[in-house]
Amino acid sequence: MAKKYVPEPFRIKMVETIKMLTREEREQKIEEAKYNMFNLKGEDVYIDLLTDSGTNAMSQEQWAGVMVGDEAYAGGKSYFKLLDTARDIFEYKYIQPVHQGRAAEKVLFGILMGEGKYAISNMFFDTTRAHVELTGARAIDCVVEEAKKPEVRAPFKGNMDVVKLEKLINEYGPEKIALVVMTVTNNSAGGQPVSIENMRETAAVCKKYGIRMNIDAARYAENAYFIKKREEGYADKSIKEIVKEMFSYGDMFTMSAKKDTIVNMGGLIGVKDDEKLFQDVKGRTISFEGFITYGGLSGRDLECLAIGLNEGIDESYLEYRNGQMEYLASRLDDAGIAYQAPVGGHGLFIDAKKMFPHIPYYEFPGQALAIELYKEAGIRTCDIGSYMLGNDPDTGEQLQASFEFTRLAIPRRVYTQAHFDVMADALIAIKERAKDVKGYKITWEPPILRHFQASLEPLDK
């Protein structure tokens, strides 16, 4: 039975008009886009769930911040406001703004990684994996086994497999492990959270072997909310208190602030106390992003980021945010549609392999479902599966992902209950004709991060 929708803790002050194309028009548009969701024009999409990154609705306080942002090239007051806010929340000595999460990875990973090195994560997202590989290093996933079983409901399916982690360190040699990356929440595993206990245990293994731990902190506030709701001993702690403990186990963090900080552009690098490392970070920031006090951002971006850091950890907002996901998940439960359960923090990851058991991984069931959702209701989503994972960087062979998901990433403070009902109804309609859906083949692809640019065609052509 569908759960009650959690009312929005805000009023709508401004709207953006969107349109719904006809089925025939949508079929034409997706064919013109070569069946790649990234090639669609935004104006041809009714409900855009391609990503929750930078697609959020800012608050009136943030829009007011746009008007007072200090645009000084060096030493603007908005920069210092951001530093004070970030240090208060994360308790890291050194904070460096950059223009987004990929920039944070480019700056930091180039310092720590290189040929012959490895990075181990509870799961790398596509762009993070790419930044590891661009340094010449190799990325290894080490998520707990229950994460690979979408139907299994476990409270912290994003956790690192600590036993496997230690085995990997001993197998490759501690001196070859450049970094351990803890992704919170674990996006590729379905937006699943990581427990405080797991972060503590992972940090202890890293300390034992002298390996640094980086927190991929794009969705840190959602992770803290799950800890409060699911982990023993944290129900009475504030989100801010939980965040402080989470980050106490890391040595550094990289953050796309375009998610839980609810801004359209921005990112952060945090270094707990390593002054030498931070000097290197500053040097690369100047080379790649701009001077250290703006880091590739305008003053108004810095101002909005400082405000959004506090808005993103507001508990009433997080309750509404998670409630949206639970409402949609409950409708899918009623319809017998499988997803990575329990529902993740920033969206639903539909089990396309379960919906289309006749489509093998190398014909990309996650991408097939994404295309069907656009045809059915103008909903744009993306594949989180073998299509996104791509080819082995050494052999060039197609890799098989642990999951074949279609991700419905929900922008923050954007869509209402009626939009969520459209999402559910579309998935139900596709399930009823699932046996008729065909797979896809790639007709052109770039060597890295192919899913952003690749061309496809249906196999029934």
Side-chain angles (χ1 to χ4, degrees), residues 73-365:
Y73 183 93
K77 65 182 179 182
S78 298
Y79 165 74
F80 291 106
K81 178 177 179 177
L82 173 59
L83 290 194
D84 290 343
T85 305
R87 286 169 177 162
D88 176 60
I89 292 173
F90 305 112
E91 294 189 335
Y92 277 36
K93 187 175 181 179
Y94 303 110
I95 301 292
Q96 176 60 59
V98 289
H99 84 272
Q100 64 178 41
R102 292 176 206 179
E105 293 163 359
K106 181 179 180 181
V107 168
L108 185 65
F109 289 4
I111 299 168
L112 302 173
M113 299 181 195
E115 293 283 347
K117 297 288 187 179
Y118 298 88
I120 304 173
S121 177
N122 53 334
M123 282 197 88
F124 285 102
F125 195 57
D126 60 341
T127 49
T128 313
R129 182 183 301 276
H131 277 109
V132 171
E133 293 175 356
L134 284 167
T135 70
R138 291 292 176 258
I140 303 172
D141 289 334
C142 191
V143 71
V144 289
E145 284 302 310
E146 56 261 35
K148 301 174 185 178
K149 302 171 183 176
E151 71 282 359
V152 172
R153 292 179 180 264
F156 293 103
K157 292 173 78 170
N159 279 354
M160 182 82 74
D161 186 331
V162 180
V163 174
K164 184 180 176 182
L165 171 65
E166 191 158 14
K167 287 181 180 177
L168 287 168
I169 292 171
N170 286 312
E171 178 183 344
Y172 289 100
E175 71 284 354
K176 290 189 176 182
I177 309 300
L179 200 62
V180 168
V181 179
M182 181 66 88
T183 309
V184 294
T185 56
N186 191 330
N187 187 5
S188 293
Q192 295 296 311
V194 177
S195 69
I196 285 283
E197 180 183 21
N198 188 251
M199 294 192 74
R200 186 186 303 120
E201 291 174 349
T202 302
V205 171
C206 290
K207 186 175 181 180
K208 176 180 176 181
Y209 292 97
I211 299 168
R212 292 165 168 168
M213 186 168 92
N214 177 63
I215 299 174
D216 182 341
R219 299 174 180 88
Y220 74 97
E222 292 172 5
N223 200 91
Y225 180 81
F226 282 122
I227 289 169
K228 182 178 176 68
K229 294 298 179 180
R230 297 179 183 177
E231 192 161 1
E232 186 177 354
Y234 289 89
D236 296 328
K237 291 187 179 293
S238 69
I239 297 297
K240 192 172 182 179
E241 288 173 327
I242 295 169
V243 168
K244 287 183 188 296
E245 183 173 352
M246 283 169 55
F247 281 78
S248 73
Y249 299 114
D251 298 296
M252 65 206 76
F253 71 81
T254 48
M255 176 190 292
S256 168
K258 297 164 65 179
K259 283 85 169 176
D260 273 359
T261 307
I262 327 179
V263 293
N264 303 127
M265 186 57 66
L268 293 175
I269 300 170
V271 177
K272 184 183 285 181
D273 53 23
D274 188 335
E275 184 177 1
K276 182 183 181 305
L277 175 60
F278 189 61
Q279 290 298 331
D280 291 339
V281 165
K282 289 196 293 183
R284 286 174 65 88
T285 297
I286 292 170
S287 297
F288 298 139
E289 291 287 283
F291 190 60
I292 57 173
T293 61
Y294 74 92
L297 295 167
S298 65
R300 54 187 174 270
D301 290 324
L302 297 171
E303 190 77 24
C304 293
L305 208 166
I307 296 166
L309 280 169
N310 281 316
E311 290 185 356
I313 60 175
D314 178 77
E315 193 168 331
S316 62
Y317 154 74
L318 287 167
E319 182 178 2
Y320 143 78
R321 170 76 174 156
N322 192 62
Q324 285 189 316
M325 311 304 161
E326 291 184 341
Y327 172 79
L328 180 56
S330 67
R331 284 215 55 196
L332 300 187
D333 287 337
D334 289 346
I337 294 174
Y339 57 90
Q340 176 68 297
V343 64
H346 66 285
L348 260 80
F349 289 59
I350 309 300
D351 189 347
K353 184 177 179 180
K354 187 79 173 285
M355 184 172 284
F356 304 136
H358 57 287
I359 301 178
Y361 74 91
Y362 50 84
E363 294 177 5
F364 315 126

Side-chain angles (χ1 to χ4, degrees), residues 393-439:
D394 297 313
T395 68
E397 294 182 2
Q398 171 66 52
L399 295 168
Q400 182 174 5
S402 298
F403 324 98
E404 300 296 341
F405 289 145
T406 303
R407 184 184 72 173
L408 281 63
I410 310 298
R412 294 159 184 80
R413 304 189 293 207
V414 171
Y415 293 116
T416 66
Q417 182 177 356
H419 293 110
F420 282 85
D421 285 332
V422 171
M423 300 172 205
D425 291 343
L427 284 162
I428 292 167
I430 293 166
K431 181 176 183 287
E432 290 173 353
R433 55 179 174 79
K435 68 179 185 302
D436 299 323
V437 175
K438 302 292 194 298

Side-chain angles (χ1 to χ4, degrees), residues 368-406:
L369 179 54
I371 292 165
E372 291 302 313
L373 276 166
Y374 180 72
K375 289 180 180 179
E376 181 70 33
I379 300 169
R380 177 161 63 171
T381 59
C382 76
D383 165 281
I384 305 289
S386 297
Y387 172 59
M388 184 190 77
L389 185 60
N391 301 319
D392 187 290
D394 297 313
T395 68
E397 294 182 2
Q398 171 66 52
L399 295 168
Q400 182 174 5
S402 298
F403 324 98
E404 300 296 341
F405 289 145
T406 303

